[in-house]
Amino acid sequence: MRSSTITLINPQEQPQSSDPQAPTLSHDELHRFNQLVATLYSCLHSSQGFQPFFDAFQAHFNALQGGILGLSSSPRRMIYGWTFGYPEGFEEWYINSDLPERDEALARYEALPPRQFDSFLRGDARNTILDMLSAESRAWAEAVGMGDSAGMLVSRQNDCNVVFLANRHEDFGPYTDHDILQMNLLAPHVENAVSLHFKLYQSRSNNESLALALNHVNKPMVVFNALATIAQANNNALDLLAHSDTLSISDNQRLQCKDARLNRKLSDAISTCLIHSQKGTPATQTLFVDNCHERIAICLTPLIAEKKEHNGVLAELFRYDSAMEPDIGKLQSLFQCTPAEAGIAAELIHGLNATEIADKNGISVHTARQHIKNLLAKNGYRKQTELVAMLVRALS
């Protein structure tokens, strides 16, 4: 991003109201507010995403946690996002849970007009946010000591709504009218900064060198940007998808599956990998999609770049005949395992878990898990997802 315009506020430019009790900002508050705006726009030139702004926002408003989330609708799912203040592993759990569909805060903020903040308590300390939440949401709010939540609809896009939200700890009381005034002064700047940030990812014409690099690789590969849309797909991937009965590229440049259940798993897996890429966690996931004609394995690997705006996800696509049995001898040779362990490895390539393997082969779940542990130990892998990805890459 070459340049951006920062519009700061002075006392003469404050919104005027006929209400003599309407809150206004002091000179000191305006100075701190303008620093917050400047920090927001500086994120467009930094490799840290929105983290510097989140840090400043937390300090300015005594916020507990929150972020900027891209949400699909029908059902509501988190597609991508930048977050702050949540415990380790929360985002991955949230993405793969059903909670976004029932999240009262997201529903409230999605229904707002763009660029307008609202909070649950609206400054009324006599009430509690816990009474406004479902049992599931209330359990989480109680666990973290949430006292209030404020948010806004940043924008409506073709395939998702972008929401900014900020929860607050009960020790600081509800957000006041004064807080909401400042948030609403900030709202158009948030919209501008997010819009400019998105432009870093939405031009496929800027990825010519990436396309050339991918086309030098013989296997089908797709790269997703930080918005979970396709930055590039090489020719092999485009050919595979053009002839697939299961997978395709949607009009909004997302990888989609015809089966609704598998499509949701695919979307959640890509979103989870994006969170891993932002946190520098190289955790591979493998999904299997199939019908009676074909089986496709999708290995998803977080792309962790020196500059966070270049983070994303690499998808390797493997299509093979679902009726074809893996070569047990080759498995033994490549993965240093016994015939029994190779048989378990063959089932992992078909996407089965330990319980399904046990049921299919008439063995105990304990035995199936022990074989998987042996395969992990013999091949130096810590996680089953890493082992499955390597099995697929080796034999598909």
Side-chain angles (χ1 to χ4, degrees), residues 144-166:
V144 300
M146 188 189 302
D148 198 4
S149 179
M152 66 173 279
L153 175 67
V154 179
S155 64
R156 299 190 193 278
Q157 300 180 353
N158 292 333
D159 61 331
C160 73
N161 293 325
V162 181
V163 166
F164 178 87
L165 66 89

Side-chain angles (χ1 to χ4, degrees), residues 138-214:
R138 185 165 60 248
W140 162 255
E142 286 181 317
V144 300
M146 188 189 302
D148 198 4
S149 179
M152 66 173 279
L153 175 67
V154 179
S155 64
R156 299 190 193 278
Q157 300 180 353
N158 292 333
D159 61 331
C160 73
N161 293 325
V162 181
V163 166
F164 178 87
L165 66 89
N167 301 327
R168 197 178 208 181
H169 196 275
E170 58 189 354
D171 289 350
F172 296 102
Y175 287 111
T176 65
D177 289 343
H178 205 62
D179 293 324
I180 298 302
L181 166 71
Q182 294 184 69
M183 290 182 186
N184 280 325
L185 291 173
L186 184 64
H189 296 291
V190 173
E191 181 192 36
N192 290 341
V194 171
S195 177
L196 289 168
H197 199 75
F198 283 3
K199 292 183 185 300
L200 293 171
Y201 307 104
Q202 291 176 330
S203 175
R204 293 185 64 166
S205 62
N206 292 333
N207 295 307
E208 293 180 2
S209 59
L210 175 59
L212 290 172
L214 289 180

Side-chain angles (χ1 to χ4, degrees), residues 14-26:
Q14 289 192 64
Q16 300 300 310
S17 172
S18 58
D19 181 0
Q21 302 301 315
T24 58
L25 304 185
S26 68

Side-chain angles (χ1 to χ4, degrees), residues 15-72:
Q16 300 300 310
S17 172
S18 58
D19 181 0
Q21 302 301 315
T24 58
L25 304 185
S26 68
H27 283 271
D28 180 60
E29 288 172 327
L30 278 169
H31 175 69
R32 291 189 293 111
F33 175 83
N34 285 335
Q35 286 183 318
L36 181 61
V37 173
T39 302
L40 171 61
Y41 283 111
S42 72
C43 293
L44 299 173
H45 305 279
S46 111
S47 62
Q48 301 180 61
F50 286 104
Q51 193 57 51
F53 168 67
F54 289 153
D55 293 341
F57 186 96
Q58 275 189 285
H60 192 90
F61 292 105
N62 292 315
L64 172 67
Q65 58 203 190
I68 298 169
L69 309 181
L71 306 166
S72 65

Side-chain angles (χ1 to χ4, degrees), residues 4 8 16 20 59 74 84-85 144 152 173 179 189 208 222 226 235-236 249 268 277 293 298 308 380 390-392:
S4 58
L8 303 183
Q16 300 300 310
S74 301
F84 65 90
V144 300
M152 66 173 279
D179 293 324
H189 296 291
E208 293 180 2
V222 176
N235 291 336
N236 285 323
I249 298 176
D268 289 353
S277 75
H293 304 295
I298 308 170
K308 288 193 176 182
M390 189 53 63
L391 288 167
V392 169

Side-chain angles (χ1 to χ4, degrees), residues 51-336:
Q51 193 57 51
F53 168 67
F54 289 153
D55 293 341
F57 186 96
Q58 275 189 285
H60 192 90
F61 292 105
N62 292 315
L64 172 67
Q65 58 203 190
I68 298 169
L69 309 181
L71 306 166
S72 65
S73 55
S74 301
R76 184 189 303 115
R77 310 290 297 169
M78 178 176 165
I79 305 173
Y80 59 84
W82 297 268
T83 61
F84 65 90
Y86 292 102
E88 186 68 30
F90 171 81
E91 293 94 335
E92 294 93 318
W93 169 79
Y94 187 77
I95 288 168
N96 292 281
S97 74
D98 294 327
L99 191 56
E101 299 173 41
R102 303 185 298 278
D103 192 308
E104 293 87 351
L106 297 183
R108 176 184 290 249
Y109 306 144
E110 277 190 327
L112 292 171
R115 302 175 302 283
Q116 179 179 310
F117 271 92
D118 189 20
S119 67
F120 272 72
L121 297 184
R122 296 175 177 170
D124 188 351
R126 297 170 299 177
N127 292 325
T128 171
I129 191 174
L130 300 180
D131 293 337
M132 304 178 183
L133 302 176
S134 66
E136 189 174 11
S137 297
R138 185 165 60 248
W140 162 255
E142 286 181 317
V144 300
M146 188 189 302
D148 198 4
S149 179
M152 66 173 279
L153 175 67
V154 179
S155 64
R156 299 190 193 278
Q157 300 180 353
N158 292 333
D159 61 331
C160 73
N161 293 325
V162 181
V163 166
F164 178 87
L165 66 89
N167 301 327
R168 197 178 208 181
H169 196 275
E170 58 189 354
D171 289 350
F172 296 102
Y175 287 111
T176 65
D177 289 343
H178 205 62
D179 293 324
I180 298 302
L181 166 71
Q182 294 184 69
M183 290 182 186
N184 280 325
L185 291 173
L186 184 64
H189 296 291
V190 173
E191 181 192 36
N192 290 341
V194 171
S195 177
L196 289 168
H197 199 75
F198 283 3
K199 292 183 185 300
L200 293 171
Y201 307 104
Q202 291 176 330
S203 175
R204 293 185 64 166
S205 62
N206 292 333
N207 295 307
E208 293 180 2
S209 59
L210 175 59
L212 290 172
L214 289 180
N215 280 325
H216 282 293
V217 182
N218 288 328
K219 60 185 174 183
M221 301 181 79
V222 176
V223 172
F224 298 92
N225 61 30
L227 304 182
T229 58
I230 294 174
Q232 280 296 339
N234 67 5
N235 291 336
N236 285 323
L238 294 174
D239 181 67
L240 183 155
L241 295 171
H243 294 89
S244 172
D245 295 329
T246 311
L247 290 176
S248 62
I249 298 176
S250 69
D251 292 339
N252 50 31
Q253 295 303 306
R254 299 193 188 279
L255 188 62
Q256 62 181 8
C257 181
K258 284 187 177 179
D259 181 276
R261 181 183 63 84
L262 291 175
N263 191 59
R264 172 171 163 172
K265 288 182 65 177
L266 176 61
S267 176
D268 289 353
I270 293 170
S271 300
T272 300
C273 275
L274 284 175
I275 293 294
H276 287 158
S277 75
Q278 294 169 19
K279 295 186 174 182
T281 305
T284 298
Q285 294 193 64
T286 303
L287 283 82
F288 297 87
V289 296
D290 55 26
N291 57 30
C292 58
H293 304 295
E294 66 177 353
R295 175 183 293 271
I296 299 177
I298 308 170
C299 292
L300 298 169
T301 303
L303 294 176
I304 303 168
E306 183 176 343
K307 294 186 175 182
K308 288 193 176 182
E309 62 261 30
H310 297 153
N311 286 354
V313 175
L314 172 68
E316 302 166 78
L317 309 180
F318 303 90
R319 180 169 57 189
Y320 50 97
D321 186 344
S322 58
M324 184 178 296
E325 291 298 324
D327 186 330
I328 298 297
K330 188 175 181 180
L331 281 169
Q332 284 184 259
S333 174
L334 289 175
F335 293 91
Q336 309 172 51

